[in-house]
Amino acid sequence: MNAESEAEPSREELIALVAALRAHIAELERRLGLNSSNSGKPPSSDGLKKPARVSSLRERSGKKPGGQKGHKGETLRQVTDPNEVVNHYPPACSMCGVGLDPKTSVGHSARQVFDLPQPQPLVVTEHRAHDCECTACGAKTRALFPDSVNAPVQYGARITAFVIYLLHYQLLPENRLATLMVDLFGVKVATATIARMSRACAERLHGFVETVRDLVAGAPVKHMDETGFRIGGKTQWLHVASTALLTFYRVCAKRGSLLANVVGIVVHDHWKPYYTIEGAFGATWSMRSAC
């Protein structure tokens, strides 16, 4: 054997090396198997490997399937004053073939169809601020436009409310929302206009948002969590803090940007930064196992 070559490992060294490799492989397999259901990882990190739910998490209630006794149903019922009545008359007698007309009607049966009205063109309201000349001194005074009428041409409050509802509650993307407005109402709203409506609404609700934030932060007990998602191709974090009646959302670039001025008990998933909240106290627990 060449003296410059390294000595062959001993049997004990090989056994120790195999044991170390096995432990390393086991740790890697454990990490690959971690997901939001068996660790503190957020659900957004599961991606396409999210484990399938093999059974319902709901417990049996002991009640029969379907509507329960005393539950108010949503079945359509005929109304006494329909918007439109369409009469149908038989063209001829089914026995002898003699022609029939409305004058021969001796009764009828009724069926009602509930449907949306025909799409209507936009209602355009023109506001005119008149100049009036004083009969005493001859000075001219112009009337003021309403505060909500601040441009030569603009969309009204109903369209704005409808757009905000579909954008932020029904979560339609801006491009699809613009297409929907054209298809259903013939209204060509640009995506930039939709974004501007959203920003204007947010500005009007700024005071309300601050009030909700303070109430949740100061509540005796609140739940807090966070999850990652993408905005403009970049990872952002949606933080939520809620009580039984209020929910406050925040979008932050950093996961660790926790809500400020929090006091009381915080219920969370044992993510370590939650334990650094200075004003929080009391027990914390989670339905998910801590990692």
Side-chain angles (χ1 to χ4, degrees):
M1 185 175 181
N2 192 337
E4 295 181 358
S5 61
E6 295 183 0
E8 291 290 337
S10 65
R11 182 173 181 276
E12 290 75 13
E13 289 175 337
L14 289 175
I15 293 175
L17 178 60
V18 170
L21 290 175
R22 285 179 175 176
H24 184 61
I25 292 173
E27 173 61 18
L28 293 177
E29 290 178 341
R30 186 191 72 83
R31 293 183 182 181
L32 288 174
L34 292 179
N35 54 55
S36 61
S37 64
N38 58 17
S39 71
K41 298 178 65 177
S44 58
S45 66
D46 292 339
L48 298 178
K49 298 180 180 179
K50 186 175 182 179
R53 180 179 292 176
V54 296
S55 62
S56 174
L57 299 179
R58 296 179 61 184
E59 298 180 356
R60 293 183 177 274
S61 64
K63 298 179 180 179
K64 295 181 179 180
Q68 303 300 311
K69 185 178 180 180
H71 173 70
K72 185 178 180 181
E74 300 295 336
T75 304
L76 285 177
R77 299 183 184 277
Q78 290 192 350
V79 297
T80 57
D81 54 344
N83 300 96
E84 182 181 4
V85 176
V86 179
N87 292 299
H88 304 276
Y89 301 96
C93 176
S94 59
M95 294 296 292
C96 66
V98 172
L100 301 174
D101 57 30
K103 295 180 181 180
T104 61
S105 175
V106 292
H108 70 270
S109 58
R111 296 179 180 180
Q112 295 183 348
V113 178
F114 289 69
D115 203 351
L116 294 173
Q118 287 286 346
Q120 300 293 322
L122 290 183
V123 176
V124 180
T125 301
E126 180 174 287
H127 293 261
R128 297 178 178 178
H130 286 268
D131 297 321
C132 294
E133 184 175 344
C134 179
T135 57
C137 66
K140 293 182 180 180
T141 303
R142 174 171 294 180
L144 298 176
F145 286 105
D147 292 338
S148 59
V149 182
N150 48 33
V153 179
Q154 66 184 73
Y155 289 113
R158 292 189 187 92
I159 287 182
T160 301
F162 190 69
V163 166
I164 295 299
Y165 168 76
L166 292 179
L167 179 66
H168 292 291
Y169 187 77
Q170 298 298 343
L171 303 178
L172 280 184
E174 291 177 354
N175 288 334
R176 288 180 58 189
L177 177 52
T179 302
L180 179 147
M181 297 298 290
V182 173
D183 291 345
L184 296 186
F185 307 109
V187 179
K188 297 182 180 180
V189 184
T191 55
T193 301
I194 293 175
R196 185 166 61 250
M197 290 177 174
S198 179
R199 290 193 297 268
C201 180
E203 292 174 0
R204 291 194 299 270
L205 294 175
H206 181 75
F208 171 78
V209 172
E210 291 297 318
T211 298
V212 172
R213 194 215 74 84
D214 293 341
L215 290 174
V216 172
V221 179
K222 76 278 301 169
H223 297 247
M224 295 179 66
D225 200 4
E226 80 295 327
T227 186
F229 68 133
R230 309 284 283 181
I231 298 180
K234 296 183 179 180
T235 300
Q236 301 287 318
W237 293 91
L238 177 64
H239 289 259
V240 59
S242 64
T243 67
L245 300 177
L246 300 172
T247 301
F248 178 69
Y249 293 101
R250 295 182 305 124
V251 176
C252 303
K254 296 182 179 179
R255 184 182 182 186
S257 180
L258 301 180
L259 186 65
N261 302 322
V262 173
V263 297
I265 298 174
V266 175
V267 182
H268 57 78
D269 60 359
H270 293 279
W271 186 45
K272 290 184 179 180
Y274 286 122
Y275 289 104
T276 64
I277 300 177
E278 295 182 357
F281 64 92
T284 56
W285 58 274
S286 172
M287 294 300 293
R288 293 189 292 177
S289 60
C291 178

